[in-house]
Every structure is written in C-alpha cells, then in structure tokens.
C-alpha cells in the first residue's frame, strides 16, 4: 500500500511540453511497478505507459509512443512523465498507479493504488 500524489498538470498550447510527477509514500516504493493512465471527458480510463520496479523495462500506448517518456527515481520515491509535442487529444486527467512487485501491465485491474489525478489541458 502506497499513497500517490500527482503534480505538474496545467494548461499548455499545442506543440508544447509538460512534465508530470508522482510522489509516493507509505511503503517501499522501489518494489512497485508504476504506471500512468488518463481519462478524457466522456471517455473511460486508458493506459498511457508503465515502468517496472527496477526501471529496466517500459511500455507505451501507441498514441503516445515517441512523444512521452516515463522514468523513475527510487531514491526520491518519485515517477515522472515527460510529455512532448502535446496536442488537444492529450487533454485528460492523468493518474499514476502502483502495483507491488508488478511488471509490464496495461490492465487497470493490475494496479492496487491510485492517485487523485492531475488535469492536463492542451489548447489549439
């Protein structure tokens, strides 16, 4: 069990960049695989990216591949999402999620703990 708090969301113009952070506390952060999901207005929550607990493997949804980069700093108990070349279709609430001793997993049900989310809005 970990507590997760996202930050770094905001309003950005198309083509711009944002860097999201997710700070974890309550358990040993390094044992958790960490994922990012997002939910646009009127749509379900969808997978964005995931990184293993060791940081050795990552996976990305096709519509963000090449634009988004996930990373983690276990010494700081923090995972990051660097988002470049943003477009209006990226507008959503972004959530980080944790899975103890997890690996590459795109399923929402695979994650045991979730943050409250941070809003990302991209204007044209």
């Amino acid at each position: 069990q970990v507590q997760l708090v996202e930050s770094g969301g905001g309003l950005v113009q198309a083509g711009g960049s944002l860097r999201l952070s997710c700070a974890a506390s309550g358990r040993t952060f390094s044992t958790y695989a960490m994922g990012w999901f997002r939910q646009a207005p009127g749509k379900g929550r969808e997978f964005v990216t995931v990184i293993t607990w060791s940081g050795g493997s990552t996976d990305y949804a096709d519509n963000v591949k090449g634009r988004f980069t996930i990373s983690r700093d276990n010494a700081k108990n923090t995972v990051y999402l660097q988002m470049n070349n943003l477009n209006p279709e990226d507008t959503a609430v972004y959530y980080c999620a944790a899975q103890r001793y997890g690996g590459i997993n795109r399923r929402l049900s695979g994650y045991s703990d979730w943050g409250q989310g941070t809003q990302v809005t991209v204007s044209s």
Side-chain angles (χ1 to χ4, degrees):
Q1 181 181 353
V2 294
Q3 291 75 52
L4 306 173
V5 180
E6 303 95 335
S7 63
L11 176 64
V12 64
Q13 293 184 342
S17 299
L18 284 173
R19 184 178 179 86
L20 306 183
S21 298
C22 177
S25 62
R27 287 289 293 273
T28 304
F29 173 74
S30 61
T31 66
Y32 287 78
M34 299 296 299
W36 286 96
F37 294 77
R38 67 186 184 184
Q39 187 166 13
K43 297 183 178 180
R45 194 168 299 184
E46 67 175 8
F47 169 80
V48 177
T49 182
V50 60
I51 187 168
T52 58
W53 64 269
S54 68
S57 297
T58 59
D59 189 29
Y60 296 89
D62 288 342
N63 55 4
V64 306
K65 192 175 301 180
R67 299 189 297 122
F68 291 10
T69 303
I70 188 171
S71 62
R72 67 190 298 162
D73 186 340
N74 289 345
K76 297 181 178 180
N77 288 358
T78 302
V79 63
Y80 304 96
L81 181 63
Q82 179 66 47
M83 305 185 294
N84 298 325
N85 194 26
L86 288 162
N87 59 64
E89 287 69 43
D90 295 315
T91 295
V93 177
Y94 284 71
Y95 301 88
C96 67
Q99 178 64 65
R100 189 180 183 188
Y101 298 115
I104 301 298
N105 192 348
R106 296 188 174 199
R107 300 176 64 91
L108 276 69
S109 61
Y111 295 84
S112 57
D113 299 284
W114 295 80
Q116 293 296 305
T118 185
Q119 177 70 49
V120 172
T121 303
V122 185
S123 62
S124 60

